Amino acid sequence: METIAELEEFMSTPSRELVKDLQQLDGDIMILGVSGKMGPTLAKLAKRAVEQSGHSKKVIGVARFSDESLIDELEACGIETIKADFLKEEELQNLPNVKNIIFMAGTKFGTVGNEHRTWAMNAYLPGRVAEKFKNSRIVSFSTGNVYPLTSVLSNGCTEDVTPNPVGEYAQSCLGRERVLTYFSHKNQTPIVHFRLNYAIDLRYGVLLEIAKSVHQGKPIDLTMGNVNVIWQGDANEYAIRSLLHTNYPPKIINVTGPETLSVRWLAKEFGKRMEKEPVYVNSESPTALLNNASQAHKLFGYPKVTVQQMIDMIADWVVSDGHTINKPTHFQEREGAF
């Protein structure tokens, strides 16, 4: 894969399972916060799946669109766009009432020193969205950060593990879930809490950060010695298909790949492909932020893009100096300070 166009084509190609699910889904789809890292490819994937399903439902993307070129990009793919600031009540209320909502808007990075906005976006806004779309299905993006650090021998946190978030970002995300759950009970709104970590693209993500460190000879901190990852295209597909699994009270779905991956092993694999020797600092802790997504794999099947495929593609991308997005994941963070 050599160009962003090829990457976007790959990530927005729907599976037969997704097309089949959309044939069963009634109503249009609206994506709130479509301009983030995952939103554009999710919207394109949904639109292509709708077209292949033989239905005429709309796919609508809503965001502030600080980069207005994204509007042209999405509309060229047949996706309707609406500019709106969700924290402005009139703009939120003017949005069309759509049957299916994928709620991606939120704040993570820049939380430290700006905690008030993080809580407004992650805990106050969900209540306003839930009231506005009380008659819709809602898949709300959440995070595995709501879970506590757990033993690397435990196979990660399943959905029945009691949340114990570290830091204000993770706390505000649990706040999002609790507020949505309140309105789900109040209005009998079917919801999914979509607890994701970590989505991988060639342009950003945990694997890219490790690969770049290996390529540049920079030390890799092993303190958070194990991670979970999933290809962004697979995560997007799970999110769209989750619309058929919304429930009252809300259903929780953990979303990631099936493996617990050693950061040291990942660095070695990139080192083999790049003919570089990784440099390490610190040693692995006995605990890590780990997510067990076996329920999602039962519902949707295993991710279609494997870890080895991701490593191969990202190694080639880094060596060839492919375009990257400067949005580090801070996956090494153990104190929740984002």
Side-chain angles (χ1 to χ4, degrees):
M1 207 171 301
E2 297 179 352
T3 67
I4 291 175
E6 290 175 327
L7 172 62
E8 297 268 329
E9 170 70 18
F10 180 57
M11 286 199 294
S12 64
T13 299
S15 68
R16 287 176 296 177
E17 294 86 354
L18 175 57
V19 173
K20 183 178 178 181
D21 275 4
L22 283 185
Q23 288 172 337
Q24 303 175 53
L25 186 73
D26 63 300
D28 297 333
I29 300 171
M30 188 155 66
I31 302 156
L32 305 181
V34 74
S35 62
K37 295 192 299 291
M38 297 178 66
T41 53
L42 187 150
K44 293 173 187 177
L45 176 65
K47 181 61 179 176
R48 292 179 70 180
V50 165
E51 291 171 346
Q52 292 183 28
S53 74
H55 289 203
S56 58
K57 59 175 64 75
K58 297 177 182 178
V59 176
I60 305 164
V62 188
R64 287 182 298 167
F65 290 111
S66 54
D67 177 5
E68 295 202 359
S69 67
L70 181 58
I71 294 175
D72 295 334
E73 180 183 328
L74 293 175
E75 291 188 347
C77 297
I79 298 155
E80 297 185 17
T81 61
I82 301 173
K83 287 188 70 171
D85 183 337
F86 301 121
L87 290 177
K88 294 181 178 178
E89 186 68 14
E90 183 179 357
E91 295 185 23
L92 176 63
Q93 294 305 321
N94 284 339
L95 294 176
N97 290 314
V98 171
K99 184 64 176 177
N100 301 289
I101 301 295
I102 299 179
F103 182 27
M104 306 181 79
T107 296
K108 179 177 183 179
F109 304 118
T111 293
V112 174
N114 200 26
E115 290 84 357
H116 58 285
R117 180 172 176 81
T118 298
W119 282 91
M121 285 295 296
N122 293 351
Y124 166 75
L125 176 61
R128 305 309 309 134
V129 168
E131 281 280 63
K132 164 66 178 174
F133 297 107
K134 61 185 178 183
N135 297 316
S136 301
R137 304 180 187 94
I138 302 174
V139 172
S140 175
F141 270 62
S142 186
T143 172
N145 286 71
V146 300
Y147 292 121
L149 298 177
T150 188
S151 168
V152 298
L153 303 178
S154 70
N155 208 31
C157 294
T158 57
E159 290 86 351
D160 58 1
V161 169
T162 301
N164 188 13
V166 178
E168 290 213 37
Y169 161 68
Q171 292 165 8
S172 72
C173 290
L174 182 59
R176 173 202 301 262
E177 293 189 9
R178 298 301 193 225
V179 169
L180 286 170
T181 299
Y182 168 78
F183 284 102
S184 176
H185 281 278
K186 177 186 175 185
N187 300 320
Q188 299 187 19
T189 302
I191 293 174
V192 160
H193 298 314
F194 193 79
R195 291 180 178 170
L196 168 67
N197 63 298
Y198 289 99
I200 299 299
D201 184 340
L202 301 188
R203 297 164 291 187
Y204 76 90
V206 173
L207 299 191
L208 175 68
E209 292 168 27
I210 296 171
K212 287 175 68 176
S213 293
V214 172
H215 190 243
Q216 296 168 7
K218 293 182 178 179
I220 297 163
D221 186 353
L222 295 177
T223 310
M224 188 76 84
N226 293 267
V227 294
N228 304 126
V229 302
I230 184 171
W231 180 246
Q232 179 180 304
D234 287 312
N236 283 342
E237 176 167 319
Y238 284 12
I240 300 166
R241 295 178 68 190
S242 289
L243 287 165
L244 288 178
H245 297 275
T246 55
N247 199 20
Y248 153 69
K251 183 178 183 65
I252 299 168
I253 301 180
N254 287 352
V255 179
T256 195
E259 305 93 347
T260 296
L261 297 170
S262 158
V263 172
R264 186 187 296 270
W265 176 81
L266 288 166
K268 286 182 178 179
E269 289 298 304
F270 283 118
K272 289 178 189 176
R273 289 158 176 79
M274 299 175 180
E275 298 183 346
K276 303 267 189 177
E277 191 63 36
V279 180
Y280 306 108
V281 293
N282 302 320
S283 58
E284 292 89 345
S285 297
T287 60
L289 181 66
L290 297 172
N291 191 337
N292 183 319
S294 54
Q295 178 191 205
H297 303 149
K298 179 181 178 181
L299 292 173
F300 308 123
Y302 280 112
K304 295 184 172 55
V305 178
T306 68
V307 170
Q308 290 284 357
Q309 285 176 290
M310 286 186 263
I311 293 172
D312 288 341
M313 290 189 293
I314 290 169
D316 289 343
W317 193 260
V318 170
V319 169
S320 62
D321 197 28
H323 172 71
T324 60
I325 301 170
N326 185 28
K327 291 187 177 180
T329 62
H330 299 285
F331 75 91
Q332 307 93 336
E333 178 58 49
R334 298 180 64 84
E335 302 299 325
F338 296 103

